[in-house]
Amino acid sequence: MTLLNRVGYMLSCWLSCPRPWHRASIPIEEGIPDCLEPGDVLLIEGSSRLSTVIKYLTQSTWSHAALYVGEAACRDLFGATRGECLVEADLAEGVRLAGLEQFDGYPLRICRPLGLSEEDIERLVTYACRRVGHRYDLHNIFDLARYLLPLPPVPVPWRRRMLSLGSGDPTRAICSTLIAQAFQSVRYPILPFEEWQDDPRRCVGCQRRVLQRRHYSLFTPRDFDLSPYFEIVKPALAGGFDPRRLAWRETEDALPEV
């Protein structure tokens, strides 16, 4: 390992070190493992130094994303035996397999694509799994800073089109762009650009909406939450929810005035 790579690895470990005192105080949802299906995107609110930067720069709760591929895929393709079921791009270790226990105690959100066939899901999972072992793209950190403080200054609506996250090296990846590439490989939309084009086959003057894919390097974890093409899965509501069956401990200062 060269000196530069060694320094980069040490910097990565320092940036990715969890800081428990920065964890969110909101309740943690239960039942997430039972709700996950292959192809689901799991968003994580991390507490590391890098997570704090990403949440600030993107103005979002979510700082990390992982793709659920299922234990069967990890076992069949890699011989995994420790409950690995996710593919993620880790700052220090690169693209790797991970288990759900790694995110115990962190707020999570399940974003589920709809309308994909079993064949599409298999292709999606295979695409992500084949990237295991790729390196993390540290250039992403500098690009996130450029998005917040662009030089030269440009209007905010133009920044995303001008920004290119990452170095563009296909053997490097960051969490959100890795997943974006996987979904674009099966032509599934995340947050595409919209254009209107003439459609003379329908009628004179008729137009149709045409989608244009964003470059995969432009995506951040929050985009899967904002996307109209991903369903937000709430484990507490999945099996039916009755608010009248909840047990409350009432306190006088919390009761509303009559």
Side-chain angles (χ1 to χ4, degrees), residues 157-211:
W158 295 358
R159 292 185 190 177
R160 284 193 78 120
R161 287 179 178 261
M162 297 181 65
L163 175 65
S164 178
L165 293 178
S167 65
D169 184 344
T171 63
R172 295 177 180 266
I174 61 174
C175 64
S176 51
T177 61
L178 167 69
I179 299 174
Q181 284 179 291
F183 278 102
Q184 289 185 350
S185 72
V186 296
R187 300 184 67 83
Y188 192 84
I190 303 173
L191 281 177
F193 297 117
E194 295 185 358
E195 297 180 352
W196 288 93
Q197 294 182 354
D198 293 335
D199 188 5
R201 293 177 298 179
R202 293 177 54 192
C203 65
V204 177
C206 287
Q207 291 187 323
R208 63 172 179 171
R209 187 182 64 167
V210 178
L211 302 181

Side-chain angles (χ1 to χ4, degrees), residues 1 29 35 41 71 84 121 124 128 141 145 150-152 160 177-178 196 215 229:
M1 181 181 291
E29 283 195 278
C35 288
V41 178
E71 291 188 31
E84 293 91 341
I121 295 295
L124 176 75
I141 300 172
L151 295 173
R160 284 193 78 120
T177 61
L178 167 69
W196 288 93
H215 193 271
Y229 306 106

Side-chain angles (χ1 to χ4, degrees), residues 42 50 58 62 81 110 139 150 152 183 191 226:
L42 191 66
L50 179 62
T58 62
W62 312 112
T81 58
I110 303 173
H139 189 70
F183 278 102
L191 281 177
L226 296 177

Side-chain angles (χ1 to χ4, degrees), residues 16-225:
S16 60
C17 182
R19 296 183 295 172
W21 57 90
H22 277 198
R23 289 192 181 183
S25 58
I26 64 174
I28 307 302
E29 283 195 278
E30 299 179 354
I32 284 182
D34 298 329
C35 288
L36 286 169
E37 298 178 359
D40 285 351
V41 178
L42 191 66
L43 302 182
I44 302 100
E45 181 178 356
S47 63
S48 67
R49 293 178 175 88
L50 179 62
S51 296
T52 302
V53 172
I54 293 176
K55 286 188 287 186
Y56 175 72
L57 294 180
T58 62
Q59 294 295 290
S60 170
T61 299
W62 312 112
S63 60
H64 188 57
L67 182 68
Y68 182 80
V69 299
E71 291 188 31
C74 293
R75 183 176 59 250
D76 296 343
L77 295 174
F78 302 99
T81 58
R82 300 182 180 179
E84 293 91 341
C85 56
L86 299 163
V87 173
E88 65 159 353
D90 178 73
L91 181 61
E93 303 297 332
V95 182
R96 65 177 184 178
L97 303 179
L100 284 169
E101 70 280 354
Q102 180 178 328
F103 305 117
D104 283 346
Y106 291 97
L108 306 174
R109 171 160 292 175
I110 303 173
C111 300
R112 177 167 298 163
L114 301 179
L116 291 177
S117 65
E118 292 184 6
E119 182 181 0
D120 291 332
I121 295 295
E122 183 177 353
R123 289 169 52 201
L124 176 75
V125 167
T126 301
Y127 184 99
C129 288
R130 286 178 177 173
R131 269 63 189 171
V132 171
H134 286 191
R135 297 167 293 171
Y136 192 95
D137 194 351
L138 292 176
H139 189 70
N140 173 52
I141 300 172
F142 300 101
D143 278 328
L144 286 173
R146 286 173 51 212
Y147 180 74
L148 181 67
L149 300 172
L151 295 173
V154 295
V156 173
W158 295 358
R159 292 185 190 177
R160 284 193 78 120
R161 287 179 178 261
M162 297 181 65
L163 175 65
S164 178
L165 293 178
S167 65
D169 184 344
T171 63
R172 295 177 180 266
I174 61 174
C175 64
S176 51
T177 61
L178 167 69
I179 299 174
Q181 284 179 291
F183 278 102
Q184 289 185 350
S185 72
V186 296
R187 300 184 67 83
Y188 192 84
I190 303 173
L191 281 177
F193 297 117
E194 295 185 358
E195 297 180 352
W196 288 93
Q197 294 182 354
D198 293 335
D199 188 5
R201 293 177 298 179
R202 293 177 54 192
C203 65
V204 177
C206 287
Q207 291 187 323
R208 63 172 179 171
R209 187 182 64 167
V210 178
L211 302 181
Q212 178 184 350
R213 286 185 292 181
R214 297 176 186 266
H215 193 271
Y216 59 82
S217 65
L218 294 176
F219 290 98
T220 60
R222 76 165 187 171
D223 291 332
F224 297 94
D225 188 16

